[in-house]
Coordinates of all heavy atoms in Angstrom, one line a residue:
P328 N -16.5 -15.6 17.1 CA -17.0 -14.5 16.3 C -18.2 -13.8 16.9 O -18.4 -12.6 16.6 CB -17.3 -15.1 14.9 CG -16.4 -16.3 14.9 CD -16.4 -16.8 16.3
K351 N -9.7 15.4 7.3 CA -9.3 14.1 7.7 C -9.8 13.0 6.7 O -9.2 12.0 6.6 CB -9.7 13.8 9.1 CG -9.0 14.6 10.2 CD -9.4 14.2 11.6 CE -8.7 15.0 12.7 NZ -7.3 14.7 12.7
P369 N -18.2 21.2 -5.2 CA -17.0 22.0 -4.8 C -17.5 23.4 -4.3 O -18.2 24.1 -5.0 CB -16.2 22.0 -6.0 CG -16.6 20.8 -6.8 CD -18.1 20.6 -6.6
K372 N -20.7 25.0 1.3 CA -20.5 25.2 2.8 C -21.4 24.4 3.6 O -22.5 24.1 3.2 CB -20.7 26.7 3.1 CG -19.8 27.7 2.3 CD -18.4 27.7 2.9 CE -17.6 28.7 2.2 NZ -16.1 28.7 2.6
G507 N 25.2 -19.3 7.0 CA 26.6 -19.8 7.4 C 27.6 -18.8 6.8 O 27.4 -17.6 7.0
G524 N 8.2 0.3 -8.8 CA 7.9 0.3 -7.4 C 8.0 -1.0 -6.7 O 8.0 -1.2 -5.5
G578 N 17.4 -39.1 16.4 CA 18.6 -39.8 16.4 C 19.8 -39.0 16.4 O 20.9 -39.6 16.5
L601 N 18.8 -18.8 16.5 CA 18.3 -19.9 15.8 C 16.7 -20.1 16.0 O 16.0 -20.4 15.0 CB 18.9 -21.2 16.4 CG 18.4 -22.6 15.9 CD1 18.7 -22.6 14.4 CD2 19.1 -23.7 16.6
N622 N 3.6 -19.1 -4.6 CA 3.7 -20.0 -5.8 C 3.8 -19.2 -7.0 O 3.6 -19.7 -8.1 CB 2.5 -20.9 -5.9 CG 2.5 -21.9 -4.7 OD1 3.5 -22.4 -4.3 ND2 1.3 -22.1 -4.1
Q660 N 17.8 -8.6 22.5 CA 17.4 -8.3 24.0 C 16.4 -9.3 24.4 O 15.4 -9.7 23.7 CB 16.8 -6.9 24.0 CG 16.4 -6.5 25.4 CD 16.0 -5.1 25.5 OE1 16.7 -4.2 25.1 NE2 14.8 -4.9 26.0

Side-chain angles (χ1 to χ4, degrees):
K351 291 181 182 294
K372 300 288 186 181
L601 179 59
N622 295 318
Q660 179 175 308

